[in-house]
Amino acid sequence: MAEDFNCPNCGGSLSRKMRHSKMVACPYCESTVLLEDDVVKLAGKGGVMSEEPSLFELGRAVEYQGNSFMPIGQARFSYANGWWDEFWALDGKGDGVWISVDEGDIAIQRRDPDAEMINEANLKLGARVSFDGELFRVTEVDSATCEALRGEFPEELSLGDTYRYYNLSGPRGRVVSLEYDEDGMSASEGEWIDPYEVRQQAIEAGS
């Protein structure tokens, strides 16, 4: 159920669709707003996001192999080869997933808070590492910078922040993404999906 509040910068009416969302980007003044318990405070700017054709749109559900996903947040990151979008979406049970869209490559992943720490020094391109009892190959090593934000997110994201990341490819199309910063490692695990099997639904957020 949506929770309404006002942007502390411009006074615009905002709402969050997920009770546990920690941040909302104001569409009126491009501010980012942190939500901590009953406290609403400014965090920074959301940046300007150019419109690009995509299978995924905020507030419009998609279906993949019988599962529904509603994007409610969009973050754009730049890296050496260009940029990609990360959509924060709710599945049919109301649980959150990350959907990565980089041109024709799409992955659906969930955070793994129990992932065992992997020594970053071992994550060389082409190296094999163990994750969740299976062997994965390191297929991408890069850093990315947050360029723009829309909608709401389960965690604080800041315009201009740079993240070191590693993508690992495993059996059965599994993909693991690892991010490292001063707080340690965060891991997301999921699978590559076929974009031709993604179908947009005529369902609007909040309907």
Side-chain angles (χ1 to χ4, degrees):
M1 187 174 184
E3 176 185 341
D4 297 329
F5 58 97
N6 295 103
C7 173
N9 184 54
C10 71
S13 178
L14 304 176
S15 67
R16 61 175 171 181
K17 300 165 187 65
M18 190 174 185
R19 183 167 55 90
H20 298 298
S21 291
K22 300 297 184 184
M23 195 183 84
V24 174
C26 177
Y28 308 108
C29 67
E30 299 174 4
S31 296
T32 53
V33 181
L34 285 182
L35 309 172
E36 299 177 351
D37 298 323
D38 295 327
V39 178
V40 177
K41 63 181 182 179
L42 287 174
K45 302 296 288 183
V48 178
M49 188 178 297
S50 60
E51 297 290 345
E52 301 287 343
S54 176
L55 288 170
F56 301 91
E57 301 174 19
L58 294 188
R60 185 171 185 179
V62 299
E63 183 177 310
Y64 178 73
Q65 294 187 343
N67 298 308
S68 177
F69 301 95
M70 173 69 80
I72 62 173
Q74 180 182 3
R76 181 160 294 170
F77 295 91
S78 63
Y79 70 122
N81 294 328
W83 56 267
W84 85 87
D85 285 333
E86 292 275 354
F87 289 89
W88 174 243
L90 304 181
D91 65 15
K93 298 179 181 179
D95 296 325
V97 301
W98 288 99
I99 302 176
S100 302
V101 182
D102 187 355
E103 297 182 347
D105 296 327
I106 301 174
I108 297 178
Q109 297 175 293
R110 298 178 189 272
R111 287 279 195 247
D112 184 351
D114 301 319
E116 292 186 9
M117 185 70 179
I118 297 177
N119 188 340
E120 191 175 3
N122 296 332
L123 297 173
K124 307 297 184 183
L125 195 63
R128 289 185 176 274
V129 296
S130 176
F131 182 89
D132 194 26
E134 292 191 296
L135 281 179
F136 285 74
R137 183 181 294 276
V138 180
T139 53
E140 187 174 9
V141 177
D142 211 332
S143 61
T145 302
C146 182
E147 299 288 349
L149 300 163
R150 283 181 178 171
E152 61 188 84
F153 301 92
E155 59 198 56
E156 182 180 355
L157 299 173
S158 297
L159 205 65
D161 277 1
T162 298
Y163 306 85
R164 303 190 309 277
Y165 72 90
Y166 303 81
N167 283 334
L168 318 179
S169 295
R172 303 179 303 282
R174 292 178 68 193
V175 57
V176 170
S177 296
L178 305 176
E179 294 179 9
Y180 289 81
D181 57 24
E182 62 275 9
D183 296 324
M185 182 194 84
S186 63
S188 298
E189 193 272 334
E191 62 178 341
W192 298 107
I193 69 172
D194 184 348
Y196 292 103
E197 293 188 35
V198 176
R199 298 288 182 267
Q200 288 186 331
Q201 298 178 353
I203 301 175
E204 301 302 320
S207 62

